Structures are given as structure tokens and as C-alpha cells.
Amino acid sequence: MAAAAAAAVGGPQPPQPELPAAGLALDKAATAAHLKAALSRPDNRAGAEELQALLERVLSAERPLAVAADGEEAAAGGGGPGAAEEEALEWCKCLLAGGGGYEEFCAAVRAYDPAALCGLVWTANFVAYRCRTCGISPCMSLCAECFHQGDHTGHDFNMFRSQAGGACDCGDSNVMRESGFCRRHQIKSSSNIPCVPKDLLMMSEFVLPRFIFCLIQYLREGYNEPAADVPSEKDLSKVLQLLEPQISFLEDLTKMGGAMRSVLTQVLTNQQNYKDLTSGLGENTCAKKSHEKYLIALKSSGLTYPEDKLVYGIQEPSAGTSTLAVQGFAGATGTLGQLDSSDEEDQDGSQGLGKRKRVKLSSSTKDQSIMDVLKHKSFLEELLFWTIKYEFPQKMVTFLLNMLPDQEYKVAFTKTFVQHYAFIMKTLKKSHESDTMSNRIVHISVQLFSNEELARQVTEECQLLDIMVTVLLYMMESCLIKSELQDEENSLHVVVNCGEALLKNNTYWPLVSDFINILSHQSVAKKFLEDHGLLVTWMNFVSFFQGMNLNKRELNEHVEFESQTYYAAFAAELEACAQPMWGLLSHCKVRETQEYTRNVVRYCLEALQDWFDAINFVDEPAPNQVTFHLPLHRYYAMFLSKAVKCQELDLDSVLPDQEMLMKLMIHPLQIQASLAEIHSNMWVRNGLQIKGQAMTYVQSHFCNSMIDPDIYLLQVCASRLDPDYFISSVFERFKVVDLLTMASQHQNTVLDAEHERSMLEGALTFLVILLSLRLHLGMSDDEILRAEMVAQLCMNDRTHSSLLDLISF
């Protein structure tokens, strides 16, 4: 088929017979029937040449409309553009049908549909179902028809309104159990699948390569690379409006079933067809111009191009060595890449954000292709490229997803998606409609990465984990600022700036969502936990959030403006740090996974030591400062808990020395003391937002990932450090040491009299919590769940679904 199509539409050919102009006016059905007969002969070269001549006229590269610089339509061939395109589509339908009726042709093709998958694609606000009993992947979903035709009696299911769009997984045994399939999508026996007659789809094999190339010509011609590298939404929407009939035609073809999807898959993935059509431009001025636009657009597809040289670098990690660091951090990390000697002032000159420090990209990156400019070898690859450039138009997304029931296409498309992953991140960062684009990215990616076998395959063959972690690092690099925690002047640590649009708008969530999705698969998570280089790199990513959104206590005047960046900070830690952590922990529940926990604990401690060195920490936290964000501490605490509780590891075997334990204790303890200060109104000049942070820290959606690990880590420290040292440290942090004297009078130099009693109550309450909270000290999962349910139900009646939402267990 591929050879026949190539002969018809590309490659070196002898001089083509000139089809008379009157030929276009002939009856389309008769012409199509004549060409089909000619192509059915054993020697079909003449028929192929005649079809090529017709297609070159009907789908000429001279015909596509371009959007001029002033936004007006310009047609190369003159006349009414709508009529011309409609005529071209009519010709394509007649040719596909081979002279017969197009509707009859569609019905005939549908009769040979071997697909056992539903694959129905929906967009936002579609009502769908999710059955947790039948689902293998947590992202599994069903359309209403498949759900009602399946047997889900007594199952744990819910009906929901889709936010980003999705596709029905009925019939896919990689995503859901076969017992949940509806009657229409039970596994079909191969003996029941009829063979497709050879001549039914013959014309499709010849016509579709040229049609898809014509579509790509439209996309190339319509795109203008602006000076600021931000496409004009008006221009993009105009081009997409012109292309809607062509994309709708392709979408209709996918609905004919598996037989037609198989032909489309061969056309989209055949490299020779693509090479012949895209290289054989000849003297066609319009085609040459569009090809030049394509090459210009490709230049910005890599992660390393001139205007983006200075980025956070990745190094080949050596044992015990961090992969990322800022200038001057060499003493703490041992081995570093090339360093940039300059600091980059913030654009607004604000001293509040500090200075950015960057390092250059190291050439020893694990997979250099992640950074390279893209190279395309098939229609599918370039089609996805333009889909990204045009910011995921819904029609194109629907067409690409409608093809997924074809397994060969699904594998090829997933690999292509991974190949373009860095480019997706770059486009998302620049988009003015990041919310819409984010939803459409997830609409695609959730269909690809929910399948464990496919996720494992692309992890092994395409370095999916390396790409995802690298892309997340590069994305966050653009909003890193110097940390002011502890030693403001000499700190070498960098954190994300929670005031940046990237964090405020949750622009990162599609990529984090994909990462969480693939870590839900045991085979993929196992590879991540076994890869020491990936663990080191990931800990460095987590360190970007360590100490972010620093609060400084106002001692004199009330703040003029209350920053709301804490919303972004808590969301970022929960989504980008905590949820991947819980995904990894879910695969470390048995004794056989001890080594995974040891790996995480090892590199977590190394990252923490690097962090202490970077902030110039000695033995006391800076006064009147608090950050609620210590994800590295919490990673260590939770894997420590898992090691002792589930993997039968001795606690002392995964603990650091006494000096490190003392350091680990200080910042979680500072948070507990600051909570008491906030409740005592000592932070009142900071406004209501500081109370909002204190409440969020202990709120049900966040406590499992924030205060609970902090308390457990302090319990461990209390059990292993000298008791006198620990208790004295607690009272010092709460500033109540002077209240514990036996003298008849005392003088507290750090607390006002009005705050003394409430701070002492806070210190004693903390000690009670430390002694009584048993979440990670022997309670079983069932006991914890019961305690969580009791806590929720004692306040109010709850439905089953609302309890699931409230209990983050």
C-alpha cells in the first residue's frame, strides 16, 4: 500500500500527462470510477499518474489561503475560497468512494470495523462515569452508554462532569477489568472479524497522503512567526476557521471504524510517503515558501537555542552529588557544570525578589535529544507539531484522539507526543490561554499514560521519565529567585517565585499531572526508584520548593498590601511535590521494596545537607521568619515511616547522625512555634493572609502532606536526641524559657506580657500532640481511616463521595 501511494503522490516520476482543464468539469463519479478501474489493473502506473495529476489540481499547493499580515484573507488562485475548498472535499469524497455514493461507501467501511474499544471522545462538561471497582488506572472513565450497558451493580462508581475532556476506555483491558466491559465491547474473537475487500479502501490509500499533505501545507502557510515569539490569536483562529472543513472530514473518516483508521495510521506513520511529498517541492513557489516557514518554526522547538542559553543545568550525577546548583555552591556539592559569573537582576529592580542565579546547561545531559531541535519523519510528527504551535485546537485534538482505538497508531502517537514533550512545555509557558491549552494537553496525555503497558514501553524506548523530569526542571527554572531564608545576604539557595504567573496560574499542572499518572504504574515507578540519577535530579527539583514563600514578621507597621501568593505556594507543594511522593510511596509497601526506600532516603538526606549548606545554616533559625514549605523534610519523614511500618527496616538503619537530626528538627519546630505566635496575634501586622497559611497547613486536604509528616519527624527526633536538649529547644523556639523559672519574678526579653500565657499554652499543647498523635507510630491503615472518618462525621453528616474528597488518605 505504501509503495502504491508513494508512486501516486510523490517520488521521482517521468513527465506527467497534462489533464485537460475540462477534465475537472467531468462528472466526478465517472472520473472516480475510471481511476479506480485503472488502479485495479495489474499494471496501474498509468492510473496512478492520472490520479496524481488530478490530485495536484484539486489539492494544489497554490490553492491554500494564507492569512496576510494585516489579518485579511489572501487567496492565491482568486475566486471564492469557500467554494473552492468545498469542491476539493467533494472530489476527495468521490475518489474515496470510487465512483459510488459516499454514504454507501461509509456504511460499507463500517461493516468491517474490527475495533473492540469504544474510544468515544468528549470535550469539557461532558457527563461521564468512573468505576473504581473496575478501573486499573485511576484515570479510567466510561461514556454513559457503555456504563449503563455494563454490570456495575454494587461497585464503587461515580458520575462526574469532565473538566478537561476525555475518552471512553470500555474495551481496553490495560485500563479497566474485562468484567466491566459493556455488551458491545466484550473481547471479540478474531474469527468473527471479516476481512476487508481489497478494492474497498484502495482509493483511500492513494488519496489520503496527498490530502493530509495539503492540510499540512495550509498549517505551514497560515503560521507567521511573530517577533516576540507569541502567535497572534486572531491570525491563528482565522487559519483554524479556514481549516475546519478539512479537519472535520478527517474526523468523519475516523468514525468509519477500525478499517479506515488502519489506513489512516499507515498514511500518517509512513516515512517514505512523507519524505517523497515534503522533499519533492520542485519549482512550486508556494510550497517552497511554506517549507521555509516550517523550518523557521522548527528553530524554536528545542530547549537550547540562542536566546535561552542560560538555564538550569543537569549533570551526569555521581554518587552523593547533586545535579543542580547555583553559582558559588561548589563547596557544598563537589562537582558542578559550567558556571555563569553574572547575577541577573529582576526586571522590575525589586529587591524583594532578590537576584536570580543561573548555571549553563551541561553537555552531559542524559538524553541530549531532549534539548535538540525537532526533526520530523512522518505526517503524524509534523501534524502534532502544528497542533502544538496552534495551541491544541479542539477539532485537531478530537481527530488525533479518535484514532487511538488503532493500537499501532496509539503506540506511534504516544512516542511522537513524548518526542514533542519539551516543545509542549515551551508553548504552554508562552500561551495567553494557558488554562484552555492545559485542559487539551491533559485531554490527550491522560489517554496515553493511563495504559501501564504503553507507559512502560515508552519509558524504556523513549526515556519518558528522563524527559518528564528534565522538562519540569526547565519549566521551573524561569521563575527561580534567590532564597532569603536564614542568611539573606549570603544564601546560595534558589526557590520558585510564587508571584510568577507560572505558579499563580498553575501552568505547570498538566506536566505534573502526567508525571503523577505514570508513577501510578508499578513497573514505571520501579524504574524511577531504581535510577539513582533520576532520584538525585528529582530531589533537586523538590528543593526548588524548599523554603518558598518566606514570611517575615512585621514588627512596626501593618503591611500595606497583603500578598496572596500563599495560594500558589500550597498548591505547588501539594501538586508538584506531595502527590508524586504519595505515588511513589504506594509502591513501597512490602519488604521486597526496601532498597527503593533506602535509595530515596539516601538522596533525600543528601539534598537536605546541600540545602543546609546553601542557606548557611548553623544551629538556629533566623528570628521572625517562617516558611510552611519543607517538602524535602516531608519526603524523608514519609519514607522513614514507610520503612519502619511496612518494610520491617530498623529505624536506626535509616537515620542520620545526631548532628543531622538536630538540623532536621529545627525548621519543622519553627513552624509549630510560629503557629502558636500566629494564634497569639504576634503576626497581626502581616494581615489575614498569615492566618490563612496557618489554617491551610492543618486543613484536611493538606495536613496529610504537611503537618502530619512534620510531627512524625519531630517525634523521631525526640526519641533519638538527648531529652534535655529536645525539651529546651522546644521552649526556646516558643520563647517561654523565662516563664519556667522558680523565681518569684521573671523578665521575658522576647515576649510581651500579653503573649506569654498563650505561647506557654502553645508549647505545652505541642508536647501533648507530640506524645499523643499515633498516625505514623503503629496505627494500621484501617485505624487511620476510621479516625479520619470519625473526625469528619463528628462535625457534619457526609455522603460517601464527599468523604472521599475530604479524606486525603
Side-chain angles (χ1 to χ4, degrees):
M1 183 272 283
V9 295
Q13 299 289 333
Q16 303 299 323
E18 186 68 27
L19 192 72
L24 292 178
L26 293 175
D27 179 73
K28 296 184 183 70
T31 304
H34 161 72
L35 288 170
K36 182 176 181 179
L39 289 167
S40 300
R41 299 188 187 108
D43 182 9
N44 64 0
R45 188 172 182 80
E49 291 171 356
E50 192 176 350
L51 176 60
Q52 180 187 11
L54 176 61
L55 290 172
E56 284 180 350
R57 289 178 179 276
V58 173
L59 304 173
S60 172
E62 301 284 349
R63 182 181 298 277
L65 298 176
V67 179
D70 61 359
E72 297 297 322
E73 295 177 3
E85 299 314 313
E86 187 176 339
E87 179 76 4
L89 284 175
E90 286 301 317
W91 265 109
C92 289
K93 290 178 180 179
C94 279
L95 289 171
L96 292 186
Y102 184 68
E103 293 302 324
E104 289 77 9
F105 168 74
C106 294
V109 175
R110 288 192 190 98
Y112 297 95
D113 180 14
L117 279 68
C118 177
L120 175 70
V121 176
W122 57 75
T123 54
N125 295 316
F126 185 92
V127 175
Y129 290 82
R130 177 167 292 129
C131 180
R132 299 179 185 88
T133 306
C134 295
I136 296 172
S137 164
C139 300
M140 164 269 198
S141 53
L142 295 169
C143 66
E145 185 176 358
C146 288
F147 177 80
H148 290 301
Q149 290 194 18
D151 184 9
H152 299 279
T153 306
H155 289 191
D156 179 11
F157 66 85
N158 68 297
M159 182 173 67
F160 65 96
R161 190 178 295 276
S162 179
Q163 292 184 343
C168 183
D169 293 311
C170 190
D172 189 346
S173 57
N174 290 301
V175 178
M176 63 179 292
R177 293 174 178 83
E178 295 180 18
S179 57
F181 292 174
C182 73
R183 293 190 296 273
R184 293 188 303 123
H185 298 115
Q186 297 289 341
I187 300 298
K188 295 182 180 179
S189 169
S190 57
S191 60
N192 296 331
I193 302 172
C195 294
V196 183
K198 185 177 180 181
D199 66 336
L200 181 62
L201 295 171
M202 179 183 64
M203 294 297 288
S204 302
E205 296 169 358
F206 282 97
V207 173
L208 289 178
R210 173 66 73 174
F211 181 85
I212 291 174
F213 178 60
C214 178
L215 174 62
I216 286 176
Q217 292 283 77
Y218 272 91
L219 293 166
R220 289 177 174 183
E221 184 64 27
Y223 190 84
N224 292 304
E225 195 79 25
D229 202 25
V230 180
S232 163
E233 286 85 355
K234 182 179 179 182
D235 288 353
L236 293 182
S237 61
K238 178 67 72 175
V239 174
L240 294 171
Q241 185 179 353
L242 295 171
L243 286 175
E244 191 166 320
Q246 285 84 352
I247 302 173
S248 295
F249 174 64
L250 286 176
E251 188 181 341
D252 290 340
L253 291 180
T254 64
K255 294 175 182 177
M256 292 186 191
M260 181 57 81
R261 283 195 291 261
S262 180
V263 173
L264 280 167
T265 296
Q266 295 304 315
V267 171
L268 290 168
T269 59
N270 187 277
Q271 296 185 12
Q272 190 61 47
N273 276 355
Y274 179 77
K275 182 179 179 181
D276 291 341
L277 280 167
T278 55
S279 61
L281 302 178
E283 299 300 319
N284 191 317
T285 306
C286 182
K288 282 186 174 181
K289 183 181 176 183
S290 67
H291 187 68
E292 288 171 4
K293 285 189 172 186
Y294 163 62
L295 294 178
I296 292 170
L298 270 183
K299 285 183 181 179
S300 63
S301 65
L303 285 184
T304 55
Y305 62 105
E307 58 268 34
D308 195 27
K309 281 182 180 176
L310 294 179
V311 292
Y312 248 77
I314 302 173
Q315 285 187 266
E316 193 70 39
S318 58
T321 302
S322 291
T323 56
L324 301 178
V326 294
Q327 177 193 354
F329 198 19
T333 58
T335 58
L336 289 177
Q338 296 174 301
L339 297 177
D340 177 37
S341 60
S342 63
D343 295 340
E344 180 186 327
E345 293 283 359
D346 289 302
Q347 292 179 358
D348 60 1
S350 169
Q351 293 302 311
L353 296 182
K355 298 177 180 179
R356 294 187 185 181
K357 292 175 179 281
R358 298 181 177 183
V359 295
K360 292 180 181 177
L361 178 68
S362 169
S363 60
S364 59
T365 299
K366 203 166 190 179
D367 185 1
Q368 191 63 34
S369 66
I370 301 171
M371 270 61 69
D372 290 343
V373 171
L374 291 166
K375 297 179 179 66
H376 297 141
K377 298 180 180 178
S378 68
F379 287 124
L380 179 60
E381 292 177 2
E382 188 172 344
L383 209 54
L384 180 60
F385 171 78
W386 288 116
T387 300
I388 299 166
K389 267 291 186 187
Y390 281 85
E391 300 190 1
F392 292 86
Q394 186 61 65
K395 277 281 185 183
M396 188 68 79
V397 169
T398 304
F399 162 64
L400 294 172
L401 289 178
N402 278 343
M403 287 290 297
L404 287 179
D406 186 287
Q407 191 59 31
E408 184 182 345
Y409 168 86
K410 190 170 188 175
V411 172
F413 181 64
T414 304
K415 291 180 178 180
T416 302
F417 190 83
V418 172
Q419 174 196 358
H420 288 75
Y421 208 72
F423 182 51
I424 291 171
M425 178 271 290
K426 288 187 67 174
T427 309
L428 178 62
K429 279 177 61 178
K430 295 173 184 175
S431 173
H432 293 298
E433 297 290 338
S434 59
D435 282 350
T436 301
M437 187 173 171
S438 294
N439 284 334
R440 290 179 182 170
I441 292 171
V442 173
H443 192 183
I444 294 174
S445 62
V446 74
Q447 309 306 322
L448 309 180
F449 300 140
S450 296
N451 183 324
E452 179 168 3
E453 181 57 31
L454 187 55
R456 183 197 57 76
Q457 183 179 348
V458 292
T459 297
E460 293 176 350
E461 298 177 11
C462 306
Q463 292 77 49
L464 176 60
L465 285 168
D466 297 88
I467 289 172
M468 282 189 166
V469 174
T470 302
V471 165
L472 281 169
L473 283 166
Y474 274 77
M475 190 176 207
M476 290 301 171
E477 187 276 336
S478 63
C479 62
L480 292 178
I481 57 172
K482 180 180 176 181
S483 172
E484 297 179 359
L485 180 66
Q486 199 69 25
D487 187 347
E488 183 176 339
E489 293 298 321
N490 301 311
S491 176
L492 300 172
H493 182 55
V494 286
V495 292
V496 292
N497 176 14
C498 298
E500 291 268 0
L502 181 68
L503 272 84
K504 285 197 299 184
N505 300 333
N506 286 70
T507 308
Y508 57 84
W509 83 264
L511 309 186
V512 170
S513 174
D514 291 346
F515 189 60
I516 295 167
N517 196 357
I518 66 166
L519 288 183
S520 69
H521 305 310
Q522 186 172 9
S523 58
V524 178
K526 178 182 176 183
K527 290 187 177 297
F528 182 85
L529 291 165
E530 289 174 344
D531 192 319
H532 292 219
L534 270 175
L535 285 173
V536 172
T537 307
W538 180 249
M539 289 305 165
N540 279 280
F541 172 79
V542 174
S543 74
F544 290 164
F545 302 87
Q546 178 88 351
M548 64 178 166
N549 197 45
L550 181 65
N551 299 284
K552 296 181 180 180
R553 184 181 164 206
E554 294 292 334
L555 300 175
N556 299 314
E557 297 181 0
H558 195 286
V559 290
E560 294 182 8
F561 172 74
E562 291 192 30
S563 171
Q564 299 299 313
T565 55
Y566 80 90
Y567 291 116
F570 277 92
E573 181 173 350
L574 189 69
E575 294 178 15
C577 300
Q579 289 192 20
M581 176 188 74
W582 292 113
L584 293 171
L585 283 166
S586 68
H587 304 293
C588 298
K589 291 184 174 179
V590 294
R591 187 171 183 174
E592 289 71 28
T593 57
Q594 283 183 359
E595 197 57 36
Y596 300 155
T597 301
R598 289 185 186 276
N599 288 342
V600 176
V601 166
R602 171 189 171 186
Y603 293 115
C604 193
L605 284 173
E606 289 180 1
L608 280 163
Q609 182 59 60
D610 288 346
W611 181 68
F612 287 129
D613 292 340
I615 63 173
N616 288 324
F617 179 77
V618 183
D619 55 4
E620 286 190 10
N624 300 314
Q625 286 187 354
V626 67
T627 173
F628 288 93
H629 305 287
L630 303 170
L632 285 174
H633 285 75
R634 290 154 192 166
Y635 262 74
Y636 177 65
M638 293 314 301
F639 275 91
L640 202 63
S641 171
K642 191 66 69 173
V644 176
K645 184 177 178 180
C646 301
Q647 298 175 320
E648 302 177 19
L649 279 170
D650 180 62
L651 177 61
D652 292 323
S653 70
V654 283
L655 285 180
D657 57 29
Q658 292 279 301
E659 182 182 355
M660 186 63 173
L661 270 181
M662 291 177 184
K663 289 181 179 180
L664 287 173
M665 175 187 76
I666 295 300
H667 290 93
L669 182 57
Q670 181 71 7
I671 294 177
Q672 310 314 311
S674 297
L675 287 176
E677 291 178 356
I678 292 167
H679 293 313
S680 301
N681 291 325
M682 292 173 63
W683 287 71
V684 69
R685 291 184 179 88
N686 288 71
L688 291 175
Q689 58 87 23
I690 195 69
K691 286 194 171 182
Q693 293 185 57
M695 292 173 62
T696 306
Y697 175 71
V698 300
Q699 197 257 348
S700 61
H701 285 292
F702 294 89
C703 65
N704 218 33
S705 305
M706 305 196 96
I707 188 173
D708 290 352
D710 289 352
I711 294 294
Y712 173 67
L713 185 58
L714 289 168
Q715 288 173 324
V716 171
C717 292
S719 71
R720 289 299 185 267
L721 293 175
D722 177 69
D724 290 339
Y725 170 80
F726 183 83
I727 292 296
S728 62
S729 296
V730 169
F731 290 136
E732 285 173 9
R733 292 285 78 75
F734 280 82
K735 303 173 184 176
V736 295
V737 173
D738 293 334
L739 300 180
L740 303 175
T741 178
M742 299 299 292
S744 58
Q745 293 184 342
H746 72 274
Q747 183 178 3
N748 195 322
T749 58
V750 290
L751 276 182
D752 295 335
E754 61 185 292
H755 300 138
E756 287 181 347
R757 180 170 180 173
S758 58
M759 286 300 294
L760 183 58
E761 286 180 358
L764 297 175
T765 301
F766 165 68
L767 290 176
V768 170
I769 291 172
L770 206 65
L771 292 170
S772 60
L773 191 65
R774 318 299 296 172
L775 281 179
H776 298 288
L777 297 178
M779 286 182 71
S780 67
D781 289 347
D782 287 345
E783 289 172 331
I784 296 173
L785 181 59
R786 179 182 176 82
E788 292 272 7
M789 291 176 65
V790 168
Q792 292 295 338
L793 292 171
C794 72
M795 293 184 289
N796 207 343
D797 289 344
R798 310 282 188 188
T799 63
H800 179 264
S801 56
S802 65
L803 271 177
L804 283 174
D805 290 337
L806 289 167
I807 297 176
S808 54
F809 176 70

